[in-house]
Amino acid sequence: MDEFDIAIIGAGMAGASLAAECGAHARVLLVEAEDTPGYHTTGRSAAFWDEVYGGPAVVPLTLASGNYLADNGFLQPRGSLVIGRASDRVALEGFVAEYSALGARVELMARAGMVDLVPGLRPDWCVAAWQPGCADIDVAGLHQHYLAMARRTGSVVRLRARVDALMREGAGWRIAWNAGGREGAARAGLVANAAGAWADDVARLAGAAPLGIAPLRRTITQLRVDPPVPTTLPLTFGLAGDFYFKPAGDRLWLSPHDETPDVAHDVAPEEIDVALAIDRLERVVDWHIAAVERRWAGLRSFAPDRAPVYGFDPHVPGFFWFAGQGGFGIQTAPAAARLGAQLLLGQPADGMTAALDPARYAPGRLAMAQA
């Protein structure tokens, strides 16, 4: 039976990036249930690097990841607006003040600047928070970058390997999986749970208490609009968190920003959510919707406090959590993976992670809250 230092369960962005960071220092096995890495959340993301997205707990991870993403060519400038009506001015001023204090580049914008960026904006939308540094992320390129890094360092990737048993064996673990009726197994000193929406299920296999990491469905639809989407259109959110849209070539990607509780599975969009998104868009801009071209859904998984979970389980030795990244796991992947590898391997912080507080993301915070 093959022996590894670390077995990582899940080969989406979380698992691939963690394997890439660990591979130069340890023998790594990356185990993926699907035919292709990143089939679920990673492969369905409308990802962007947005300095405030995910809330205050996520901002340090996002800011720490920016240089890596830019220096490796994974960012394309976009800009971002959070828009509101006149009654939202005080809330938007507070939004700008809060995130500016955390180091994000965000400023208040009046209607004249908003209309320049979003032509056809209806008159009642008159105040916004503007982020000039927001950028589109090449999700597929970043994911393949990490998978290639992992393979170059000798990491082994097992596809179509759905883990069905995690058993303590001596000081380490025995990992068993089913691959279309064919059984497989390996041994590893440590197990890292990067299973996304399935993270609590994997924890149960290991005898660890679930942390309440809940899958939530997010819907996106692609529209053809008239007039065509301007190439300079920013990523645009409603302050109330009830929609966002962004260009994709000459098409528009639109979401009702839904977070519908679901179960971990191959999720599909609901027609009511697509209709809701379109209704909300029509209240924001006067564009004609020429066609609804496609629609899809993905699962975002959050811990109860909506901060990610990185660290060793407080009760099960050798079981490491790397989960709960919600919808911000791609924009924070570089810093999260570097921090995760340092925690797994007992390494000190470096320039990327020096400003991060590991205790803020430790699983023990949730275990104590549930006790």
Side-chain angles (χ1 to χ4, degrees):
M1 188 181 298
D2 291 338
E3 303 270 353
F4 297 89
D5 298 311
I6 303 169
I8 301 173
I9 300 174
M13 188 68 76
S17 59
L18 186 61
E21 289 289 346
C22 290
H25 310 283
R27 296 168 298 165
V28 175
L29 171 66
L30 188 57
V31 187
E32 169 57 49
E34 305 295 347
D35 293 351
T36 305
Y39 175 77
H40 291 284
T41 300
T42 298
R44 307 176 193 197
S45 173
F48 35 79
W49 187 81
D50 181 300
E51 293 173 75
V52 308
Y53 194 71
V58 178
V59 170
L61 292 161
T62 302
L63 296 180
S65 297
N67 286 342
Y68 186 98
L69 294 169
D71 292 347
N72 286 282
F74 296 118
L75 297 183
Q76 182 67 35
R78 169 63 55 201
S80 169
L81 280 176
V82 178
I83 65 174
R85 300 176 172 90
S87 58
D88 297 318
R89 175 175 291 276
V90 172
L92 273 165
E93 289 173 347
F95 179 94
V96 169
E98 178 182 18
Y99 285 103
S100 294
L102 294 173
R105 293 169 294 166
V106 57
E107 60 197 46
L108 208 64
M109 178 179 281
R111 178 167 169 84
M114 296 164 64
V115 173
D116 286 342
L117 292 168
V118 187
L121 189 67
R122 294 194 185 277
D124 50 333
W125 299 93
C126 58
V127 64
W130 166 243
Q131 290 183 80
C134 179
D136 296 332
I137 301 176
D138 177 0
V139 179
L142 180 62
H143 190 215
Q144 290 304 314
H145 163 80
Y146 278 130
L147 288 170
M149 278 182 64
R151 289 188 171 107
R152 281 198 302 271
T153 59
S155 297
V156 175
V157 181
R158 291 275 185 266
L159 300 177
R160 297 176 291 280
R162 187 170 299 278
V163 173
D164 52 22
L166 287 169
M167 297 156 285
R168 292 293 298 177
E169 196 169 82
W173 294 90
R174 184 176 186 273
I175 304 99
W177 59 82
N178 186 295
R182 298 180 61 184
E183 303 296 326
R187 291 191 182 95
L190 303 171
V191 168
N193 179 5
W198 286 262
D200 272 359
D201 296 333
V202 168
R204 291 185 185 95
L205 289 177
L211 296 180
I213 295 179
L216 305 175
R217 188 176 70 245
R218 168 63 51 87
T219 305
I220 302 177
T221 184
Q222 178 174 296
L223 307 177
R224 179 163 52 85
V225 298
D226 183 22
V229 176
T231 58
T232 56
L233 184 73
L235 171 66
T236 304
F237 293 92
L239 177 63
D242 54 352
F243 66 85
Y244 76 77
F245 54 84
K246 61 170 285 188
D250 61 354
R251 299 303 196 254
L252 188 77
W253 282 5
L254 168 69
S255 174
H257 218 242
D258 48 332
E259 291 187 343
T260 307
D262 212 321
V263 296
H265 72 297
D266 189 1
V267 67
E270 300 283 346
E271 287 301 323
I272 186 63
D273 294 322
V274 174
L276 187 63
I278 291 171
D279 178 69
R280 290 173 179 174
L281 178 70
E282 290 175 334
R283 296 170 188 265
V284 176
V285 292
D286 63 6
W287 308 335
H288 169 67
I289 298 172
V292 177
E293 296 187 329
R294 63 189 185 103
R295 63 211 76 189
W296 65 96
L299 290 175
R300 302 148 51 82
S301 49
F302 286 97
D305 63 1
R306 298 183 72 89
V309 186
Y310 309 138
F312 283 103
D313 189 274
H315 304 297
V316 179
F319 185 75
F320 187 87
W321 290 84
F322 196 68
Q325 290 98 331
F328 49 79
I330 294 170
Q331 71 173 32
T332 60
R338 184 72 55 82
L339 175 64
Q342 289 164 355
L343 295 173
L344 261 171
L345 299 168
Q347 296 177 338
D350 65 1
M352 185 186 289
T353 60
L356 303 178
D357 177 9
R360 192 172 197 176
Y361 311 115
R365 75 185 196 274
L366 299 172
M368 288 187 292
Q370 293 177 354

